[in-house]
Amino acid sequence: MSQPNLPMTEVLVVADCWQGEPDSEAVIQRAVAAAAESVDEDVADAEVAVMLTDDAGIRTLNSNWRGIDKPTNVLSFPALQQESERKPGDAPRMLGDIAIAYETMRREADEEQKPFDHHLSHLAVHGFLHLIGYDHENDGDAEEMEALETQILAHLGIPDPYADRAGTH
């Protein structure tokens, strides 16, 4: 049963490399819930799909949708929102999809000496914020998004992921 302003979050594991991380779904559920509770956006009666893939899968998505032929850690695909008013009994409103690549995420966590679940939480929060309209296309937007990510992660007991970076994203 979902709580009042929390979206339904479905986690789909499509790459075998995630099998060694059995808590990943719970980590993502907790991160998305914390993000939803921390924003003013109404995400009740909404749905988010998170696909846990590998570098090959995310490379294909990155190439097809962004024209960048290389893997990345996380991609977000916001859903188009209908203009019509929602009626009781309507299907959940789709916020969009998030894809997270295991190998890239694992390598980053190891290189930055961060616990796997902390980095996974960060990427889930980051992806969710993109779905509701946040971005980091310019310095001001990046600072706003990073500050919100840091606040959400602190609520989860996770240290500032940007602490070691001198203002870069």
Side-chain angles (χ1 to χ4, degrees), residues 86-103:
R86 298 188 43 74
K87 299 176 201 82
D90 281 354
R93 175 173 55 103
M94 189 64 190
L95 289 179
D97 302 321
I98 300 168
I100 301 174
Y102 181 82
E103 296 97 333

Side-chain angles (χ1 to χ4, degrees), residues 8 44-47 81-94:
M8 183 170 72
D45 293 328
E47 184 175 339
Q81 298 302 316
Q82 293 182 346
E83 298 295 320
S84 63
E85 205 171 299
R86 298 188 43 74
K87 299 176 201 82
D90 281 354
R93 175 173 55 103
M94 189 64 190

Side-chain angles (χ1 to χ4, degrees), residues 46-155:
E47 184 175 339
V48 174
V50 181
M51 179 176 69
L52 300 180
T53 189
D54 55 18
D55 277 3
I58 211 160
R59 180 179 184 164
T60 299
L61 291 170
N62 208 16
S63 179
N64 290 345
W65 292 97
R66 298 178 65 222
I68 301 172
D69 189 22
K70 66 178 188 175
T72 188
N73 54 12
V74 62
L75 291 172
S76 296
F77 301 95
L80 295 174
Q81 298 302 316
Q82 293 182 346
E83 298 295 320
S84 63
E85 205 171 299
R86 298 188 43 74
K87 299 176 201 82
D90 281 354
R93 175 173 55 103
M94 189 64 190
L95 289 179
D97 302 321
I98 300 168
I100 301 174
Y102 181 82
E103 296 97 333
T104 296
M105 200 210 81
R106 167 56 77 189
R107 185 178 61 256
E108 290 172 347
D110 290 348
E111 287 172 357
E112 297 171 20
Q113 299 179 343
K114 296 178 179 175
F116 182 86
D117 63 325
H118 287 192
H119 196 44
L120 179 57
S121 294
H122 180 205
L123 295 182
V125 166
H126 186 88
F128 176 81
L129 292 177
H130 276 306
L131 294 183
I132 61 170
Y134 287 86
D135 68 45
H136 43 84
E137 296 299 314
N138 62 57
D139 289 344
D141 289 345
E143 288 175 18
E144 179 184 5
M145 189 171 177
E146 289 174 6
L148 186 52
E149 289 171 351
T150 300
Q151 172 193 336
I152 294 165
L153 293 170
H155 178 71

